[in-house]
Amino acid sequence: MKPLDTTTVRRVSAAGLALTACLAAAVPATAATTLSGDGTTAAPGAGLDRYHHQRLDWRSCVLGPDDETGRALEKAGAQCADVTVPLDYADPGGRTITVAISRLKATDTRHRIGAMLLNTGGPGGTGIDFAPDARKAMKETGARYDVIGMDPRFVGRSTPLDCGWPVGFGVLSSGTGRAGFDRQVALHKDLAAKCRATNAAVLPHVSTRNTARDMDVIRGALGERKISYLGYSYGTYLGTVYTQMFPGRYDRVVLDGAIDPRRYGPRLLQGTEEENERALGDWAAWAAERNDTYGLGRTRAQVLTTVDRVVAASARRPLTLGTAPDAFRVDDTHVPTLVFAGISDDGDGARADLGELVSAMAEAADGRTAELSPKTTDLLRRLLTGKGSAYGSVQMAIICGDRSAPRDPERYWRDIERSRAAHPLFGPLANNIGPCAFWDRPNEEPTRVRQDAPVLMVGATGDTRTDYEGTVALHGLLPSSKLITLKGANRHAVYGLYGNTCVDDQVNTYLATGRLPATDRTCVKRAAG
């Protein structure tokens, strides 16, 4: 799944989860969308022709005087449109919803390749604003594509879904003891109930498979026989599902930070504890070198001891961060999540953000007033208050709508207790219960990978969200795929965002030529440009 991190990386990270963090003969563009199963198509037409052949109304992306996203898109030369899709693909004549897209048209029309659709992960992350960033990442090749940003169904500017949650993120720790876990059970049961009470009619249709069907409608509405795709984090799972449901309708596909589709679901974070601990240790060493700034300790061990002290203090009584009207109370169910959200990027900027936050929590643990920067205040507001309700609601709706979770709270508690000794900070987070334990069961079975797909994959060995093991697993399921590995980076989402020229150049060569590398490739962190 995608945590609530910062700026562009926030749009493409996961907790990624999972929270947030996965070729056959060509099929005519007029064929119906898949409804029955992987790699098969429904009868021709199937009531979807009017969606595939709809005329899009391209217009300014600016929605009002305070629309900074729209102004940025307009400045980049993008236009926006709403694509009409059926809420329920089994009933295409019934209720409709809209999916918002943006388009940066190809400027090198003589060498135009086609349209490229983007997904920045989450699930629940917006993508409509990512088109300019993607074109920049593609360098001169970007001019040869119509770059299409997309807010998936119920996300961002698309038909909305908001359960009215008091919090903005459904991934929290169980805390240091049974009392914290029991509070978590009550919280997540209430979150699920709020979604059922406010959005019962649409929840059965919030799923990755329906988003993939929307993608194929977008392809048809754009007049494309095939569509290219760039997906990060959860977006790699969406891209994988599309290749299985719509073989022959995709061109060049890049999956960055890939998810093993057999593991994708409400408990995707299980197994990432060690990777997150290594990333936390690397951050602690960085912070120790800057003790004069953050005051967390002069050695890696001292910084980690400070983190442990903060968790212990928050278990005794909630810590108060900030001052009114932006004062936040965080306890031992929140602190691990805040740390987790800060270690998905080993760049100095992200590490400084976490240093500031841990420093504030350490001050609060000592009983002092903890001042917060505007950026940290916004993070806490989105995580701990209803401001982030729409994000958390749709993220959980997608994950819970894709795969069932265990229902018995005691199963989670046993997993937490088993993991706590070896992983006291991240074990109770990765194994905690969530809203999916109380969700209605999905309408469809999860997608199985049964067909090969010649895609290009990118994975960092130190990815803390969609771990590298998952990337290798998907690579094995798709024998024709090729993998670019970035060694030595604690990083989730690499291509075009991390500044590694080795990775970026190889991806752009593929996007320009359509030819995968002859063999898997390895890049190293020091190759950053």
Side-chain angles (χ1 to χ4, degrees):
M1 307 181 147
K2 180 160 83 176
L4 301 168
D5 331 73
T6 58
T7 60
T8 299
V9 177
R10 184 175 70 243
R11 298 199 300 268
V12 299
S13 286
L17 199 50
L19 246 206
T20 358
C22 127
L23 299 90
V27 179
T30 56
T33 197
T34 297
L35 292 177
S36 54
D38 301 336
T40 64
T41 53
L48 297 175
D49 285 352
R50 69 185 180 102
Y51 298 104
H52 282 272
H53 298 299
Q54 65 186 284
R55 185 180 182 87
L56 299 181
D57 177 21
W58 294 103
R59 60 190 183 279
S60 169
C61 297
V62 180
L63 299 181
D66 299 324
D67 183 10
E68 295 181 7
T69 296
R71 286 200 300 272
L73 284 167
E74 188 168 70
K75 183 178 180 180
Q79 290 185 306
C80 291
D82 291 325
V83 182
T84 301
V85 299
L87 171 67
D88 180 358
Y89 276 85
D91 181 21
R95 177 179 170 184
T96 63
I97 59 175
T98 58
V99 174
I101 62 174
S102 62
R103 180 179 66 179
L104 280 171
K105 295 190 71 172
T107 55
D108 185 0
T109 55
R110 182 177 179 183
H111 302 100
R112 182 181 181 275
I113 295 169
M116 171 174 284
L117 194 62
L118 312 172
N119 184 274
T120 58
T126 63
I128 198 169
D129 55 343
F130 190 60
D133 294 321
R135 171 160 285 181
K136 182 178 179 181
M138 295 162 69
K139 299 181 180 176
E140 62 270 13
T141 303
R144 301 175 61 192
Y145 284 90
D146 286 355
V147 183
I148 310 296
M150 173 183 68
D151 283 353
R153 57 171 50 202
F154 303 111
V155 172
R157 298 184 180 210
S158 298
T159 298
L161 185 154
D162 189 342
C163 299
W165 283 2
V167 296
F169 201 42
V171 178
L172 296 167
S173 173
S174 67
T176 57
R178 180 72 196 211
F181 175 72
D182 289 341
R183 292 195 302 272
Q184 286 292 297
V185 172
L187 169 66
H188 292 298
K189 186 175 184 179
D190 180 62
L191 296 181
K194 287 183 184 300
C195 279
R196 194 175 296 111
T198 57
N199 290 276
V202 302
L203 289 181
H205 311 294
V206 187
S207 69
T208 298
R209 288 178 66 84
N210 277 334
T211 299
R213 293 171 177 128
D214 294 344
M215 287 169 54
D216 203 56
V217 169
I218 292 170
R219 176 199 57 75
L222 293 173
E224 301 288 341
R225 187 174 66 87
K226 296 184 178 183
I227 197 164
S228 294
Y229 179 80
L230 168 61
Y232 296 88
S233 188
Y234 159 81
T236 68
Y237 178 69
L238 173 60
T240 301
V241 170
Y242 187 81
T243 68
Q244 300 303 299
M245 292 180 69
F246 299 99
R249 300 188 196 175
Y250 59 88
D251 186 8
R252 300 163 202 194
V253 175
V254 178
L255 306 179
D256 188 325
I259 295 173
D260 180 350
R262 297 165 300 188
R263 283 183 53 203
Y264 167 78
R267 309 198 78 187
L268 180 60
L269 284 183
Q270 280 190 312
T272 65
E273 296 92 336
E274 289 188 10
E275 203 62 71
N276 278 281
E277 286 169 356
R278 281 193 289 269
L280 179 61
D282 290 346
W283 169 82
W286 178 93
E289 295 176 353
R290 294 158 179 81
N291 184 60
D292 290 345
T293 300
Y294 303 108
L296 301 174
R298 296 190 178 280
T299 67
R300 174 184 180 277
Q302 289 176 355
V303 174
L304 292 176
T305 297
T306 299
V307 173
D308 291 341
R309 179 172 62 83
V310 167
V311 174
S314 70
R316 291 190 295 270
R317 57 177 174 78
L319 309 179
T320 300
L321 305 179
T323 56
D326 291 312
F328 306 93
R329 289 166 62 82
V330 300
D331 61 24
D332 56 333
T333 67
H334 302 120
V335 172
T337 298
L338 294 172
V339 174
F340 170 79
I343 57 174
S344 66
D345 182 0
D346 61 10
D348 283 347
R351 284 180 162 176
D353 290 342
L354 182 57
E356 177 200 317
L357 178 56
V358 175
S359 181
M361 291 192 292
E363 290 179 4
D366 291 336
R368 302 195 302 272
T369 300
E371 301 290 340
L372 302 175
S373 71
K375 181 187 291 186
T376 300
T377 297
D378 185 59
L379 168 68
L380 295 174
R381 190 184 295 124
R382 287 183 286 110
L383 178 67
L384 302 176
T385 77
K387 180 178 180 181
S389 172
Y391 177 88
S393 299
V394 73
Q395 181 175 83
M396 283 298 113
I398 295 169
I399 294 167
C400 303
D402 281 342
R403 191 185 295 268
S404 295
R407 319 296 275 190
D408 183 7
E410 294 307 313
R411 175 172 174 179
Y412 295 89
W413 178 245
R414 290 192 296 269
D415 290 343
I416 289 165
E417 288 294 272
R418 277 194 293 266
S419 67
R420 192 188 302 277
H423 309 292
L425 182 64
F426 293 119
L429 170 68
N431 293 276
N432 195 22
I433 198 167
C436 296
F438 308 100
W439 218 263
D440 293 341
R441 297 192 181 278
N443 267 5
E444 297 185 78
E445 291 296 316
T447 300
R448 296 181 182 180
V449 174
R450 292 171 171 165
Q451 303 186 64
D452 195 6
V455 307
L456 182 61
M457 300 168 59
V458 178
T461 55
D463 192 333
T464 60
R465 297 297 177 268
T466 55
D467 59 39
Y468 183 68
E469 181 180 339
T471 297
V472 172
L474 179 59
H475 183 35
L477 292 175
L478 303 175
S480 295
S481 66
K482 291 295 184 289
L483 171 60
I484 301 173
T485 297
L486 176 61
K487 295 182 66 174
N490 300 130
R491 171 68 185 204
H492 182 62
V494 176
Y495 166 65
L497 302 172
Y498 194 55
N500 188 281
T501 55
C502 174
V503 171
D504 292 353
D505 288 350
Q506 291 185 75
V507 173
N508 285 335
T509 296
Y510 164 64
L511 293 178
T513 64
R515 293 190 296 272
L516 290 167
T519 61
D520 293 342
R521 302 295 176 84
T522 298
C523 300
V524 294
K525 182 179 177 180
R526 66 173 177 270

